Amino acid sequence: MDYCGTADFTDCWVYEQAADTYVLDEEMARKLREANPEAFRDIVGRMLEANGRGFWLPDADKLQHLRELYELTDEKIEGVTV
């Protein structure tokens, strides 16, 4: 998703659909986290980056959920236990 900055691509539906399909769908997210947690973290990180750069403005609940998923996945990868 980093191509958006260089290609001036700002269609929000792409981010919405990607978030709904790969991150916010619990079953898909579980499969992705189990198969490759680093890739899952990168997907979520790109979505957060798109928001931070103003390319995508999800609602507050969705954004908070993405942040929580990023933190949880990052902690798991780094071996941090709470």
Side-chain angles (χ1 to χ4, degrees):
M1 286 188 216
D2 56 1
Y3 57 85
C4 293
T6 57
D8 195 29
F9 178 83
T10 57
D11 286 343
C12 290
W13 69 267
V14 173
Y15 296 107
E16 286 294 325
Q17 189 170 13
D20 291 343
T21 301
Y22 298 108
V23 180
L24 301 174
D25 178 278
E26 290 183 31
E27 182 66 18
M28 178 63 79
R30 183 188 60 75
K31 288 179 182 179
L32 291 172
R33 278 194 312 269
E34 288 175 0
N36 192 335
E38 289 90 357
F40 182 78
R41 180 183 58 184
D42 289 347
I43 291 168
V44 177
R46 297 283 185 186
M47 291 176 185
L48 293 171
E49 178 184 0
N51 173 255
R53 295 178 69 187
F55 296 133
W56 177 47
L57 303 172
D59 65 58
D61 290 337
K62 187 175 283 189
L63 185 58
Q64 182 60 33
H65 192 83
L66 291 170
R67 288 178 178 146
E68 290 169 1
L69 285 171
Y70 186 90
E71 289 297 320
L72 289 172
T73 305
D74 192 52
E75 289 171 358
K76 181 177 180 179
I77 292 168
E78 299 299 326
V80 176
T81 57
V82 179

